[in-house]
């Protein structure tokens, strides 16, 4: 039996992509964010091919030039054999319909740069749409069904060829999120507890969506809500702003580095998470704000990695 490895399972490294010439306007914020992250996690930087004249001495990973910064979505996922302890990586097909074809990198070429000899699946799944507890409970949005033209039962069967799927929860896509990802709406704190995004002064649409999600997964999890700000009316590259979303955090072991926005709800978030014996590190909006204007946040721009696999 094999299981997906959750972010808190002991990965020694977190990977992040230097925006380089792909998104030069993010360079200053990348430096600020990197300086903050390296105080709390071990980081490996990935750079774009040809983006640095010192590439010959660069010890990190070099990615094809067309690869974007949202590494969570195209990075292979870790799976572990429960009996032997052997851990491998599984690469899904990265073919998001929300990107024009010329902006979709060759996922096989990218995966070869990231992982030596990963397994390959033809299922179209972005990493941002896989929220799980490492014990076979997996949450995804309806986008995965339409991307693969499968029913929920068929998808569960297909995923079970690679790892254990005890329960597969299919939730609606958040209104306005063209990526259809789950990681901005829910996160798993432990196998019994789910965290759900709750917007400050939420609209009727937002409240209806939150209650739908809670109804689907609440029968098997104890749910807590994480206070989030209303997103800004900003659309970078056509993507809804992720500004205000505290739930789109980086989990590394028992640390949670969450987006902070300089008000009392930052402290409320820390208080909620501390109840679950988690160490919280608020990441000031000044370190990553420009990233959010293009639709992503801390979870989107990071991926856990185990170099000894």
């Amino acid at each position: 039996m094999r299981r997906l490895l959750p972010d808190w399972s002991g990965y020694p490294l977190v990977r992040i992509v230097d925006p380089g010439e792909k998104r030069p306007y993010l360079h200053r914020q990348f430096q600020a964010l990197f300086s903050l992250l390296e105080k709390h996690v071990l980081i490996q930087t990935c750079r774009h091919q040809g983006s640095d004249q010192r590439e010959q001495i660069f010890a990190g990973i070099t990615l094809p030039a067309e690869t974007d910064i949202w590494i969570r979505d195209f990075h292979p996922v870790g799976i572990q054999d429960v009996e032997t302890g052997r851990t491998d990586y599984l690469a899904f097909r990265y073919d998001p319909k929300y990107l024009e074809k010329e902006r979709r990198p060759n996922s096989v070429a990218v995966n070869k740069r990231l992982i030596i000899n990963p397994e390959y699946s033809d299922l179209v799944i972005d990493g941002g749409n896989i929220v799980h507890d490492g014990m076979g409970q997996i949450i995804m949005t309806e986008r995965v069904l339409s991307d693969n033209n499968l029913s929920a039962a068929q998808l569960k069967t297909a995923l079970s060829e690679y790892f254990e799927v005890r329960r597969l929860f299919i939730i609606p896509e958040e209104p306005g999120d063209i990526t259809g990802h789950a990681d901005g709406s829910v996160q798993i704190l432990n196998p019994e507890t789910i965290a759900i995004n709750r917007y400050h002064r939420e609209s009727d649409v937002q409240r209806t969506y939150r209650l739908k999600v809670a109804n689907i997964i609440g029968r098997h999890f104890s749910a807590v809500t994480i206070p989030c700000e209303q997103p800004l009316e900003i659309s970078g590259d056509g993507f809804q702003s992720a500004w205000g979303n505290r739930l789109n955090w980086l989990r590394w072991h028992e640390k949670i580095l969450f987006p902070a926005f300089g008000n009392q709800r930052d402290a409320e978030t820390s208080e909620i998470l501390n109840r679950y014996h988690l160490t919280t590190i608020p990441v000031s909006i000044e370190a990553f704000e420009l990233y959010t204007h293009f639709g992503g946040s801390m979870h989107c721009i990071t991926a856990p990695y185990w170099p000894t696999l």
Side-chain angles (χ1 to χ4, degrees), residues 181-193:
H181 291 171
D183 62 352
S185 301
V186 295
Q187 292 287 357
I188 294 178
L189 301 184
N190 58 50
E192 294 80 38
T193 313

Side-chain angles (χ1 to χ4, degrees), residues 54-103:
R54 296 176 291 108
E55 195 173 308
Q56 292 80 359
I57 61 173
F58 178 55
I61 301 296
T62 302
L63 297 173
E66 67 273 17
T67 310
D68 212 334
I69 59 174
W70 315 113
I71 190 170
R72 176 75 57 168
D73 291 333
F74 54 79
H75 198 285
V77 297
I79 49 176
Q80 188 172 65
D81 188 294
V82 176
E83 296 179 358
T84 67
R86 175 183 171 84
T87 306
D88 296 294
Y89 275 100
L90 172 65
F92 293 108
R93 184 155 60 95
Y94 182 59
D95 191 23
K97 304 302 187 293
Y98 53 82
L99 289 181
E100 298 87 352
K101 288 187 177 181
E102 59 271 15
R103 294 180 59 192

Side-chain angles (χ1 to χ4, degrees), residues 198-201 225-230 243-244 246 258-275 280 282:
R198 178 171 185 165
Y199 290 107
H200 180 56
R201 296 177 180 173
T225 56
I226 300 297
C228 294
E229 309 302 310
Q230 286 290 342
W243 190 95
R246 290 184 178 84
F258 71 88
F261 300 91
N263 59 41
Q264 79 276 10
R265 285 176 287 281
D266 296 335
E268 291 173 17
T269 298
S270 288
E271 182 181 348
I272 292 168
L273 296 176
N274 290 161
R275 297 174 198 159
T280 55

Side-chain angles (χ1 to χ4, degrees), residues 32-176:
L33 184 61
F34 184 92
S35 296
L36 186 150
L37 290 179
E38 68 175 350
K39 296 176 183 177
H40 303 285
V41 303
L42 296 178
I43 303 176
Q44 183 181 56
T45 305
C46 302
R47 293 181 179 168
H48 295 103
Q49 188 172 15
S51 66
D52 197 313
Q53 295 179 352
R54 296 176 291 108
E55 195 173 308
Q56 292 80 359
I57 61 173
F58 178 55
I61 301 296
T62 302
L63 297 173
E66 67 273 17
T67 310
D68 212 334
I69 59 174
W70 315 113
I71 190 170
R72 176 75 57 168
D73 291 333
F74 54 79
H75 198 285
V77 297
I79 49 176
Q80 188 172 65
D81 188 294
V82 176
E83 296 179 358
T84 67
R86 175 183 171 84
T87 306
D88 296 294
Y89 275 100
L90 172 65
F92 293 108
R93 184 155 60 95
Y94 182 59
D95 191 23
K97 304 302 187 293
Y98 53 82
L99 289 181
E100 298 87 352
K101 288 187 177 181
E102 59 271 15
R103 294 180 59 192
R104 301 177 201 169
N106 183 305
S107 58
V108 173
V110 172
N111 290 326
K112 286 182 177 179
R113 300 286 184 92
L114 292 168
I115 303 295
I116 298 175
N117 297 323
E119 293 183 48
Y120 287 96
S121 168
D122 199 45
L123 291 170
V124 177
I125 301 177
D126 293 356
N129 201 21
I130 308 173
V131 175
H132 68 94
D133 68 347
M135 301 295 291
Q137 300 189 101
I138 302 167
I139 304 170
M140 310 174 86
T141 74
E142 295 168 347
R143 179 66 58 90
V144 71
L145 304 182
S146 59
D147 277 349
N148 294 282
N149 195 27
L150 296 174
S151 68
Q154 290 171 326
L155 177 64
K156 183 178 180 181
T157 298
L159 290 173
S160 297
E161 294 182 13
Y162 304 104
F163 46 76
E164 180 187 21
V165 184
R166 289 171 51 218
R167 297 189 183 100
L168 175 62
F169 301 92
I170 300 296
I171 63 174
E173 300 173 23
E174 181 177 1

Side-chain angles (χ1 to χ4, degrees), residues 206-238:
Q206 291 168 336
R207 181 176 183 274
T208 298
Y209 173 74
R210 175 176 59 81
L211 293 178
K212 282 182 179 179
V213 171
N215 182 60
I216 292 170
I217 61 182
R219 283 167 265 177
H220 298 282
F221 289 96
S222 173
V224 298
T225 56
I226 300 297
C228 294
E229 309 302 310
Q230 286 290 342
L232 299 179
E233 294 296 325
I234 294 175
S235 179
D237 288 347

